[in-house]
Amino acid sequence: MLRIPEICARLEPTSDEAKAAVGFKYNSDAGKSTKLGGDPDWIQGEEWPSCACGEKMSFYGQLDSIGDEYNLGDCGMVYIFVCFDCLETQAVLQTC
């Protein structure tokens, strides 16, 4: 399993419509955990997938909920994993 160094992502909306979509009315801390690499910031506990080849997949990144309109089940997160040998991917969704 290859470990990618953590790279923080900064959301920069590119239109007025996108600016209106970002952020949460009742939770100002939500939506700020999108990143590449590092270790997953699990919401509910570890769910590390294995590839069909049997190897533990590498954590590639996580996508946080964007805002109230595009909320992933109460400020959830999508975790993306990849097998660098097979180039297979899997995603895991966790919610609060």
Side-chain angles (χ1 to χ4, degrees), residues 11-26:
L11 297 178
E12 293 187 29
T14 58
S15 68
D16 289 339
E17 180 183 22
K19 288 176 187 172
V22 174
F24 293 86
K25 186 175 182 180
Y26 298 106

Side-chain angles (χ1 to χ4, degrees), residues 21-93:
V22 174
F24 293 86
K25 186 175 182 180
Y26 298 106
N27 187 348
S28 62
D29 291 330
K32 298 179 181 176
S33 296
T34 296
K35 67 178 182 177
L36 299 174
D39 295 314
D41 299 326
W42 298 111
I43 294 173
Q44 297 182 355
E46 187 173 308
E47 288 186 56
W48 212 290
S50 293
C51 181
C53 72
E55 294 297 316
K56 185 175 178 181
M57 299 181 94
S58 296
F59 173 64
Y60 197 82
Q62 63 189 36
L63 300 171
D64 203 346
S65 290
I66 298 170
D68 289 320
E69 188 173 348
Y70 304 102
N71 195 354
L72 298 171
D74 195 17
C75 300
M77 188 102 62
V78 176
Y79 306 90
I80 300 121
F81 297 86
V82 63
C83 175
F84 283 99
D85 293 329
C86 302
L87 296 180
E88 295 293 325
T89 60
Q90 287 191 37
V92 174
L93 173 66

